[in-house]
Amino acid sequence: MKCACKGAFLERFVQPSILMFLSRENLHGFSILKKLEKSKVANYTDVDPTGLYRTLKKMETAGLLVSNWDMGAGAQPRRIYQITKEGRQCLASWEKTLKEYAVTIGSLSRAVSKSIRGAS
């Protein structure tokens, strides 16, 4: 069973990770999936490929990404994703938000630890 108390919903941070990867280079969906799985930033080992493609589509609809078909010589056509100006602005907003989260999580973690030690 997925439980937030075990970090099960941290995959919601996939959007800033995708934007971060695309700020470095244009990638196709499978490459994004592999980068997420190998990422040391967060545990994305259980990323659902279908869910990832839905997320990419939503991000494209929101104007954070654009995609084009790469018809490469002899290879299967694949969609290549590229970050937009709006995507870069969103990534900058994520930077601020994540820093704020880190402060809040640190405070909450210390308070929970104090509570647990006080309850024993």
Side-chain angles (χ1 to χ4, degrees), residues 10 13 98 100-111:
L10 291 178
F13 291 122
L98 291 169
E100 290 169 0
Y101 281 172
V103 169
T104 302
I105 289 169
S107 296
L108 180 59
S109 177
R110 288 186 295 279

Side-chain angles (χ1 to χ4, degrees), residues 55-101:
T55 299
L56 290 168
K57 182 66 177 164
K58 286 178 187 175
M59 291 173 71
E60 188 170 13
T61 300
L64 305 177
L65 313 174
V66 292
S67 68
N68 295 295
W69 285 102
D70 177 13
M71 301 305 220
Q76 287 243 323
R78 56 189 182 175
R79 194 175 285 275
I80 303 293
Y81 294 90
Q82 178 179 346
I83 193 170
T84 62
K85 179 181 175 187
E86 292 82 5
R88 290 185 187 283
Q89 291 168 345
C90 182
L91 184 58
S93 293
W94 266 112
E95 178 187 25
K96 180 178 183 266
T97 299
L98 291 169
K99 286 179 180 179
E100 290 169 0
Y101 281 172

